[in-house]
Amino acid sequence: MDTHKETIAIAVAEAGRSGEVRFHGEIPNRPDAVRRLIEKLAGKYGRLSVCYEAGPCGYGLHRQITQLGHDCVVVAPSLIPVRAGDHIKTDRRDAVTLARLHRAGELTAIWVPDPAHEAMRDLIRARTAAMEAVRRARQQLQGFLLRHNRIFSGRKTWSAAHRRWLADQRFEHPAQQIVLQDLIDAISDAEARRDRLAKQIEELATSWAMRPVVEALQAMRGIAFLSAVILVAEIGDFRRFATPRQLMAYLGLVPSEHSSGSKTQRLGITKAGSSRARRVLVEGAWSYRFPARVTNEIRARLEGLPKAVRDIGWKAQTRLCARYRRLMGAGKNSNVVTTAIAREMAAFAWAIAREVQPTSAG
């Protein structure tokens, strides 16, 4: 299926290597039309195996087809094989290509969250978007002040002292004073939205099936509540990764490579997968530049956690703090060091998540 907002292009690949692959037609992207199509094809072929690309239309089609008793996979678009010389793209061709590749087993399926997990992920992504809105609003205000040579001389921006300094700023022209106040109000509104969504996440996370995993991940230094929630929402079930290296690759924290013949060239990280989860790990990795110790904040998060989880958290802290100092002492770039620490944090997070089980409540 090649899905779009209003239509779905359908192609059918019959079983067997020599089975016919043909374009079936287009149907409206509506549940009743999809049901009639599936029932018609099932009457002719029996149990179906359906695929479509992940995109803005979500997982409703996947859930409908699986509820009808057929197999359905959502395909990662970036991993679909593409012919280098093929410069013609149509819905008909896309549907036929998907059918042929799906029959050959050449497509990579993504993990599909259940409705409750998707709902929490939507809420968490809304909070992330609100946080980005705060950052953009602050940058606009700072740019406006810099153009007029208004520079804060205090130690830390957005502190109480900085906000008092902002309130004391005066411009001769009324238009500029209006702009200043409007930018300050925009920041206040964005911060209120961010904080409101964060509070709602805290309230709903108590009944989330993944709550035990969220609590366990906080045993690690650099991963507090919101960071743990983002990781769990973006990664989902950690147990679907057989090894920690698979999780590292999924998060795009492994080096890319372009080698040919005797030439080997290592490049930057692949940056595949969720940028939100990767950002959380990279930000948390900065905390390992300090010596290993259990602070009062971490001690509070450790209460009630299994001993195995606490041991993994402490092992991660002692190893990563030492590795951070060793890499920096070797003259490595700080960004390279932080990325390396973030990659190992993903491995320890994988180990912790496998020690706890999600609850049955959604």
Side-chain angles (χ1 to χ4, degrees), residues 19 36 38 59 70 98 108 121 187 195 218 284 293 297 318 327 355:
R36 288 194 299 268
I38 295 299
Y59 306 111
H70 301 277
L98 283 174
T108 302
R121 190 169 68 180
I187 293 173
D195 297 341
Q218 295 179 64
R293 69 188 184 96
E297 181 182 356
T318 54
L327 291 175
E355 294 290 336

Side-chain angles (χ1 to χ4, degrees), residues 221-271:
R221 184 178 193 167
I223 300 181
F225 172 74
L226 286 173
S227 297
V229 166
I230 293 173
L231 282 176
V232 173
E234 295 295 329
I235 297 173
D237 187 2
F238 284 75
R239 293 170 297 178
R240 62 194 174 100
F241 300 100
T243 65
R245 290 186 180 274
Q246 291 182 1
L247 178 58
M248 295 175 190
Y250 174 80
L251 294 172
L253 288 169
V254 296
S256 56
E257 181 177 343
H258 185 78
S259 300
S260 180
S262 60
K263 180 182 179 182
T264 300
Q265 184 179 11
R266 297 297 179 99
L267 306 173
I269 59 174
T270 62
K271 295 186 178 180

Side-chain angles (χ1 to χ4, degrees), residues 108-183:
T108 302
I110 67 168
W111 177 73
V112 178
D114 58 52
H117 192 108
E118 184 181 13
M120 281 298 297
R121 190 169 68 180
D122 287 341
L123 177 60
I124 291 161
R125 288 182 175 180
R127 191 261 174 189
T128 302
M131 185 178 65
E132 290 296 317
V134 171
R135 181 183 59 82
R136 288 192 298 269
R138 289 177 173 180
Q139 287 177 340
Q140 289 174 356
L141 176 58
Q142 289 175 321
F144 171 76
L145 293 171
L146 183 60
R147 287 197 304 272
H148 296 282
N149 199 29
R150 305 293 180 94
I151 301 174
F152 178 63
S153 59
R155 296 180 59 185
K156 184 178 180 181
T157 56
W158 311 113
S159 60
H162 182 237
R163 293 178 188 274
R164 288 194 298 269
W165 177 82
L166 287 174
D168 293 337
Q169 297 303 302
R170 297 291 182 267
F171 289 88
E172 294 182 3
H173 200 288
Q176 293 174 330
Q177 194 67 39
I178 291 172
V179 172
L180 172 65
Q181 190 59 47
D182 183 73
L183 291 172

